Each structure stands twice: as structure tokens, then as C-alpha cells.
Amino acid sequence: MKPELATEFLANRHVLMSFIAGLVRDVHEAEDIFQEVWIRLAKASEQGVVIENQLKWCRGVAKNLILHYWRDHRTAKVIADSDLLAFLNYVELAYEEKETTPDQWNDRQQALHDCVNALPGKSRQLLKLKYDEQCTIVEICERLGKSSAAIVKALLRLRSALAVCVEKKLRLQEFRA
């Protein structure tokens, strides 16, 4: 196996892991999928497969592994497989359009961290329940005594506000540089 293959793979770890973790929502499962992508890339290399765009190829492999993960961990509320595939294709296109360097990724992570810390306590609690504790909407409703519509709307508003905040912080950082 060529050493450049491993170097490029590791250089793109942040991009690929964010893609996988964002769709799997479980750090340990995401790491397992990431490692499986590496194994498949190494096997493809050993078999002489020519890979012109390694990151795109790896995302394609990850996409299929994520679909298998979702099928294996199916719950009553999972949408149809064709819809999952369409969603994954959309996410993959979005990643292709906006490749980020490790420094840009770190800046974005720091901006998000700062924006979350600036939120009121109740908003941070809602985000913690949803993303850190991985509670379902029903569980969050029970804990906070709110309707599912109120929780979903609050999460949508929080995501939107965080996206705006992060972009403002990044633009401000660019202006200062």
C-alpha cells in the first residue's frame, strides 16, 4: 500500500468523521464506520483500484455503511430507504461543495462552541438533551413538560440561530485577519 494513501486519508479525517458522525449521531459507531472505510480503501488499493478522488470515494463507501447501520438499527419512525438514500446524496453533495481545511474546521468548531455557550441555559439544556444525551423528542417532551411541536420548533430555531451565529463569527474572524 502506498504511504500517500494513508497520509491523504488521515489528512481528511475531520471531513469524513464529521460526515459520518453527523449522520450516525453516535461517536463510537461513527469511529467503527470510519475504520471500516479505511479497511475497504486499503483493500481497494491492494487490488489495484484506481481512485482519483479519495475523499469522494470514501464518502461513497461511508454512505453505504451508514445505510446499513440505519437499516440494522431501524426504529418504527425511520423513513423509507429511498428517502434515506436521497438524503445521503444531498448531504454528500453539500460536503463536496464546501470542503474545509483542518484550520477552517477548527475555527468553525470553536465558533460553534462559543455560540452554544452564549445561549440561555434552557436552550443549552435542550441541545444537551438532544445531542449529548441523544434523547428522542418524546423523552425530551417528558423531561421538559412541553409538546413535541414546541420541542421541534425550538430545535429548529436553535439550529438556525447557531448557524447564523457561527457564520457571523467566521466572517468577523476573516475581517480581523
Side-chain angles (χ1 to χ4, degrees):
M1 180 187 332
K2 298 177 186 174
E4 306 88 47
L5 185 77
T7 302
E8 184 179 349
F9 184 77
L10 292 175
N12 288 313
R13 175 181 168 75
H14 69 285
V15 176
L16 190 56
M17 275 299 291
S18 66
F19 175 75
I20 297 168
L23 293 168
V24 174
R25 313 296 284 157
D26 180 313
V27 177
H28 302 294
E29 292 291 341
E31 187 64 40
D32 289 347
I33 291 172
F34 178 79
Q35 290 175 13
E36 183 61 29
V37 171
W38 166 249
I39 290 168
R40 291 184 184 197
L41 178 64
K43 283 182 185 176
S45 174
E46 289 171 4
Q47 294 170 353
V49 174
V50 176
I51 300 168
E52 292 185 23
N53 184 335
Q54 185 188 101
L55 183 57
K56 185 175 181 178
W57 186 92
C58 288
R59 268 197 310 264
V61 171
K63 178 176 65 172
N64 291 329
L65 292 169
I66 291 165
L67 276 172
H68 287 289
Y69 170 81
W70 281 350
R71 287 178 187 145
D72 292 346
H73 296 87
R74 180 170 293 198
T75 64
K77 294 187 179 185
V78 171
I79 55 181
D81 289 346
S82 61
D83 291 340
L84 290 175
L85 190 54
F87 174 70
L88 280 174
N89 287 333
Y90 170 78
V91 170
E92 185 174 6
L93 286 173
Y95 270 83
E96 284 177 12
E97 287 178 9
K98 194 169 185 178
E99 296 295 340
T100 57
T101 66
D103 287 340
Q104 290 170 324
W105 174 251
N106 290 336
D107 292 346
R108 186 167 289 278
Q109 288 292 97
Q110 184 60 50
L112 178 60
H113 178 75
D114 294 345
C115 291
V116 168
N117 284 339
L119 290 171
K122 288 184 180 184
S123 296
R124 285 194 316 272
Q125 179 188 17
L126 178 58
L127 291 174
K128 183 177 190 272
L129 290 171
K130 179 66 179 159
Y131 298 108
D132 291 346
E133 296 181 25
Q134 297 182 344
C135 294
T136 65
I137 297 296
V138 172
E139 291 169 334
I140 296 170
C141 292
E142 290 171 358
R143 286 191 187 186
L144 301 181
K146 306 257 184 199
S147 70
S148 61
I151 297 298
V152 169
K153 187 177 252 187
L155 285 169
L156 287 172
R157 286 181 179 160
L158 279 170
R159 286 185 206 116
S160 177
L162 287 171
V164 168
C165 178
V166 166
E167 291 307 318
K168 281 182 181 177
K169 284 191 176 292
L170 292 174
R171 273 187 263 130
L172 182 62
Q173 186 175 4
E174 284 178 20
F175 180 72
R176 288 180 182 164

